[in-house]
């Protein structure tokens, strides 16, 4: 992928009203898939990212790969490998996790089917209302970001309040219900392993309600006519405790490791796991939340991913480094805070490539 003459494209024309262009696009409820279907060959100006943020897209590492962990190994081996991956990478992939590969394929196919319905059908679900339960939109931070990203997203709140599954579009309702069951079991297993890796009781993170808040996000990245001028998701760190992701075989997800960007290569049947900012702070920096991004899709076939963000359900309780992980040799690196305060800052900030955790350092 080359990035040429980008600076000439990023210069906004005179009298360009960016705020109006963004609002008109959002009001249309067509999403980026609708833009593509309209036959455009150049992306709207508000999707164009500055050249300095795109320059590193060509500097990816070809010699490194994130850890791959087989969950059929002995328990202590799994704990050790996940602990090490969480300390050094903040990302890893897992196999033999108990979720049938054929179900993961069916889940991806159902999300693809929703996004490839007529625009007027999808538009019925287009919304930015927080607390709606199910909402379809383009970029949750469309109005806060300096440049939009080339993707459409369905957000589904799976917890802590019980979701009325009748709100989920019928075209992928059964798959969401089954995914919710699978992800609840897997989430509890992973939280137990991560707790043991910190020297806590197996239910240490569970007791902090870290399993109860669940947000499902289904991303659809259609072909981009100018993939060297925008991104699929801008560089960011996940704000929550833990993220579980299934991705199709198209690729495009990258993780920053040291000064290099590393491709997270799709592996059939594997799930991608990463540590969020909250877990880095709760663990007093034992585990790391790291930058990652998704490149704009240059292929004709769309890229699809489905993730679940686990967050504490108790929004008013004070969180911070766990007492068991604080000592005179390693004092608390972060102040106490509520999840309400933390997520409020994230929603205001959007995906701008900067970490939130610096706001909470002692």
């Amino acid at each position: 992928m080359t990035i040429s003459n980008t600076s000439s494209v990023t210069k906004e024309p005179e009298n360009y009203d960016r705020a109006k262009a963004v609002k008109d696009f959002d009001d249309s409820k067509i999403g980026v898939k609708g833009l593509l279907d309209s036959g455009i060959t150049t992306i709207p100006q508000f999707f164009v990212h500055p050249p300095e943020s795109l320059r590193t897209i060509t500097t990816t590492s070809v010699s490194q790969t994130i850890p791959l962990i087989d969950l059929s190994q002995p328990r202590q081996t799994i704990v050790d490998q996940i602990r090490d991956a969480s300390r050094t990478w903040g990302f890893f992939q897992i196999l033999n996790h108990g979720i049938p590969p054929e179900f993961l394929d069916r889940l991806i196919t159902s999300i693809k089917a929703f996004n490839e319905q007529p625009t007027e059908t999808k538009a019925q679900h287009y919304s930015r209302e927080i607390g709606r339960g199910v909402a379809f939109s383009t970029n949750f931070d469309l109005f806060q970001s300096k440049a939009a990203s080339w993707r459409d997203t369905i957000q589904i709140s799976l917890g802590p309040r019980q979701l009325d599954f009748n709100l989920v579009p019928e075209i992928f309702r059964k798959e969401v219900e089954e995914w919710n069951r699978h992800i609840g079991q897997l989430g509890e297993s992973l939280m137990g392993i991560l707790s043991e890796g910190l020297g806590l009781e197996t239910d240490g993170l569970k007791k902090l309600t870290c399993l109860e808040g669940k947000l499902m996000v289904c991303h659809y990245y259609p072909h981009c006519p100018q993939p060297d001028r925008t991104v699929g998701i801008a560089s960011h760190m996940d704000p929550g405790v833990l993220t579980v992701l299934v991705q199709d075989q198209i690729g495009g997800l990258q993780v920053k490791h040291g000064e290099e960007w590393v491709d997270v290569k799709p592996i059939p049947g594997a799930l991608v796991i990463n540590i969020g900012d909250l877990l880095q702070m709760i663990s007093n920096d034992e585990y790391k939340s790291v930058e990652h991004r998704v490149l704009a899709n240059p292929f004709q076939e769309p890229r699809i991913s489905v993730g679940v963000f686990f967050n504490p359900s108790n929004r008013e309780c004070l969180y911070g480094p766990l007492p068991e992980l604080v000592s005179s040799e390693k004092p608390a690196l972060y102040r106490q805070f509520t999840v309400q305060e933390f997520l409020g800052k994230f929603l205001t900030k959007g995906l701008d490539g900067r970490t939130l955790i610096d706001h909470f350092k002692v």
Side-chain angles (χ1 to χ4, degrees):
M1 183 182 293
T2 58
I3 301 172
S4 59
N5 300 322
T6 308
S7 57
S8 63
V9 179
T10 57
K11 186 177 180 181
E12 294 182 350
E14 286 187 31
N15 302 320
Y16 175 70
D17 189 338
R18 177 185 174 80
K20 182 179 185 303
V22 170
K23 185 178 186 305
D24 287 349
F25 166 71
D26 197 55
D27 288 346
S28 75
K29 301 182 178 182
I30 66 172
V32 292
K33 178 64 163 58
L35 288 175
L36 184 68
D37 290 345
S38 73
I40 64 166
T41 55
T42 59
I43 63 177
Q45 189 68 34
F46 60 86
F47 282 98
V48 176
H49 284 242
E52 59 272 16
S53 70
L54 298 172
R55 206 164 282 132
T56 59
I57 283 179
T58 57
T59 59
T60 55
S61 172
V62 294
S63 61
Q64 298 194 82
T65 184
I66 71 169
L68 176 63
I69 298 169
D70 183 346
L71 297 191
S72 67
Q73 300 176 98
R75 175 78 173 191
Q76 192 56 52
T77 301
I78 297 169
V79 170
D80 292 344
Q81 289 183 356
I82 287 182
R83 180 191 61 226
D84 292 346
S86 300
R87 284 174 170 174
T88 57
W89 281 86
F91 262 80
F92 52 94
Q93 296 201 68
I94 56 173
L95 283 171
N96 293 314
H97 42 67
I99 304 179
E102 56 271 20
F103 167 72
L104 298 178
D105 292 341
R106 196 166 77 247
L107 177 64
I108 292 289
T109 299
S110 70
I111 299 304
K112 182 175 185 284
F114 170 84
N115 282 277
E116 295 181 355
Q117 295 178 111
T119 298
E120 55 270 22
T121 302
K122 293 184 293 182
Q124 299 172 35
H125 303 282
Y126 198 98
S127 175
R128 296 192 180 277
E129 286 182 36
I130 297 175
R132 182 178 169 126
V134 179
F136 167 65
S137 67
T138 297
N139 292 209
F140 81 92
D141 60 345
L142 181 67
F143 291 92
Q144 289 84 35
S145 62
K146 293 179 180 178
S149 299
W150 197 255
R151 75 179 186 282
D152 293 328
T153 301
I154 308 153
Q155 291 194 69
I156 304 172
S157 178
L158 296 175
R161 284 187 296 179
Q162 177 66 41
L163 173 69
D164 178 359
F165 284 96
N166 290 320
L167 296 172
V168 179
E170 188 174 2
I171 197 166
F172 61 94
R173 186 180 301 155
K174 288 181 180 177
E175 286 76 16
V176 171
E177 289 190 77
E178 187 172 345
W179 175 243
N180 186 41
R181 291 193 296 272
H182 283 308
I183 206 68
Q185 295 168 352
L186 179 62
E188 183 158 359
S189 175
L190 289 170
M191 290 285 188
I193 291 166
L194 287 162
S195 294
E196 291 177 31
L198 292 171
L200 308 173
E201 296 292 328
T202 303
D203 62 355
L205 291 173
K206 182 179 180 179
K207 285 180 178 177
L208 296 174
T209 73
C210 292
L211 281 163
E212 295 176 15
K214 292 182 293 181
L215 178 66
M216 178 179 178
V217 291
C218 312
H219 293 311
Y220 181 90
Y221 306 85
H223 168 71
C224 183
Q226 295 178 297
D228 56 346
R229 309 231 187 276
T230 189
V231 296
I233 292 183
S235 174
H236 67 285
M237 280 74 84
D238 289 350
V241 175
L242 190 70
T243 304
V244 178
L245 179 84
V246 52
Q247 61 172 343
D248 64 12
Q249 301 303 301
I250 299 297
L253 174 61
Q254 296 183 330
V255 172
K256 195 168 188 182
H257 186 62
E259 295 304 312
E260 292 186 307
W261 286 98
V262 178
D263 290 319
V264 180
K265 293 175 179 150
I267 297 173
L271 295 173
V272 180
I273 314 295
N274 67 277
I275 306 300
D277 288 347
L278 279 172
L279 187 49
Q280 176 167 336
M281 292 191 287
I282 290 170
S283 72
N284 207 28
D285 274 6
E286 283 296 309
Y287 294 156
K288 305 298 184 193
S289 174
V290 300
E291 267 186 88
H292 51 288
R293 67 187 182 191
V294 176
L295 305 184
N297 181 13
F299 306 107
Q300 292 301 317
E301 185 71 16
R303 177 185 188 267
I304 293 129
S305 68
V306 179
V308 171
F309 301 113
F310 285 93
N311 297 292
S313 62
N314 191 329
R315 298 298 176 91
E316 303 304 325
C317 180
L318 285 173
Y319 288 84
L322 292 171
E324 299 94 325
L325 305 177
V326 174
S327 66
S328 55
E329 292 78 25
K330 189 173 183 182
L333 300 173
Y334 304 96
R335 65 173 174 84
Q336 300 281 300
F337 58 90
T338 65
V339 174
Q340 187 77 26
E341 176 191 7
F342 181 80
L343 293 181
K345 285 187 180 296
F346 174 76
L347 291 172
T348 302
K349 180 179 78 71
L351 303 181
D352 61 1
R354 292 176 297 150
T355 181
L356 263 181
I357 62 176
D358 288 344
H359 292 285
F360 300 89
K361 284 187 175 176
V362 174

